[in-house]
Amino acid sequence: MKREILVASLLLMAIIVAPAGAFSADRLQITVNEDASADITFNYTLSWIETIAVFLKITDPAQELKSALEGTLGVPVTVTSAESDLASFSAAEFAKITDAAGGKTYSTPGLDFTEAQAVLDGYWFAPLVEADFSPAQTVVWFPDGHEETFSDQSAIPPLSHTVL
């Protein structure tokens, strides 16, 4: 019993005196498919406190990201894989397709990462975490291989590209 109290006290002290952990969004890759769906891969780095929260099943980054994407996009999103540092999704009807002279124009929605802070603030460990939700790099690929790249942006504007 004394040993458990000692271990719990040491863990509590470590949490109190340890520097705040930092979540970072490393890379967001969006591949727009010919049928207007998209394959989305999000690479991130979790802080030690977030890693513990995931291990204890307090939070699930893949499910949190899925919910955020569904809320932003307004379409169903499926988690296709989840690991400790990345999550992959499939989003039906991600882009809107319109006919253009000799081709099709794909229009993607804008994405705003600042809303993720409100989700984080709902967790007990939020004061212990410094989060940067702006991906260091965001790449959007269109069906013809055209790409748009953004660095350290808190929001990605809506995009349009015509595939001939």
Side-chain angles (χ1 to χ4, degrees), residues 56-128:
L56 296 174
K57 307 258 189 244
I58 294 170
T59 187
D60 179 353
Q63 288 302 315
E64 296 298 336
L65 291 165
K66 174 188 183 301
S67 296
L69 284 169
E70 285 180 333
T72 299
L73 302 174
V75 298
V77 174
T78 303
V79 177
T80 56
S81 71
E83 298 176 27
S84 62
D85 61 350
L86 75 88
S88 296
F89 309 92
S90 177
E93 302 173 28
F94 177 80
K96 302 292 183 221
I97 300 175
T98 54
D99 289 328
K104 295 181 178 186
T105 298
Y106 291 81
S107 299
T108 66
L111 298 172
D112 186 351
F113 307 112
T114 59
E115 297 171 8
Q117 185 64 46
V119 173
L120 173 63
D121 290 343
Y123 289 103
W124 64 268
F125 57 83
L128 302 173

Side-chain angles (χ1 to χ4, degrees), residues 4-23:
E4 288 89 7
I5 292 172
L6 177 62
V7 170
S9 297
L10 289 172
L11 281 173
L12 181 59
M13 205 166 21
I15 289 172
I16 291 170
V17 301
F23 167 90

Side-chain angles (χ1 to χ4, degrees), residues 17 20 27 32 37 61 69 74 80 124 126 133 142 146 159 162:
V17 301
R27 180 176 166 86
V32 179
S37 67
L69 284 169
T80 56
W124 64 268
F133 293 106
F142 289 89
H146 174 78
L159 302 171
T162 301

